[in-house]
Amino acid sequence: MSSSQMLKGVLEGCLLAVIAKGEVYGYEMIERLEAYGFTMISEGSIYPVLLRMKKEKLVHVETKASPSGPKRKYYTLTAEGYSELTQFEERWMLLSKSVNELFKK
């Protein structure tokens, strides 16, 4: 299983965590994730997730003028988004603890 396949399962939670840090537009999310070492993420992989998160009312989207180029969609978390982020973090902590235990020598 490749890193990108593994990431698909946690991408939503990672995006929620990035958005929780403050209003952000799509490409900026990719840059922030790359700063944390997520170098395998492409624009094509995040936009379907962002669209689904909008439909599920986890994020609020506002279109704003860009200082350079076309308008941008900026994302912020809703109350439901913060709740989902908390749940994701709890599930991730349990899963990562279990995996780490498995690989202890």
Side-chain angles (χ1 to χ4, degrees), residues 1 4 14 23 27 30 37 40 44 51 66 68 92 97 100:
M1 180 181 291
S4 61
C14 293
E23 183 180 69
Y27 186 73
I30 294 169
M40 70 295 290
L51 182 60
S66 168
S68 59
W92 177 255
K97 180 182 176 200
N100 288 336

Side-chain angles (χ1 to χ4, degrees), residues 1 6 10 91-105:
M1 180 181 291
M6 292 175 72
V10 297
R91 291 187 306 262
W92 177 255
M93 292 302 179
L94 287 171
L95 178 62
S96 62
K97 180 182 176 200
S98 298
V99 172
N100 288 336
E101 284 295 317
L102 181 65
F103 286 107
K104 280 187 178 176
K105 294 184 178 187

Side-chain angles (χ1 to χ4, degrees), residues 6-70:
M6 292 175 72
L7 182 62
K8 284 181 183 179
V10 297
L11 184 55
E12 180 178 304
C14 293
L15 289 173
L16 288 170
V18 168
I19 298 167
K21 296 180 185 302
E23 183 180 69
V24 61
Y25 61 92
Y27 186 73
E28 189 177 20
M29 286 182 220
I30 294 169
E31 293 177 327
R32 290 185 185 183
L33 287 169
E34 284 178 351
Y36 284 100
F38 293 96
T39 57
M40 70 295 290
I41 298 174
S42 67
E43 287 183 68
S45 62
I46 71 161
Y47 288 110
V49 177
L50 291 170
L51 182 60
R52 183 171 36 81
M53 289 168 43
K54 179 183 176 187
K55 287 179 181 176
E56 294 174 358
K57 298 183 174 29
L58 301 177
V59 294
H60 171 75
V61 182
E62 186 175 346
T63 303
K64 296 182 180 182
S66 168
S68 59

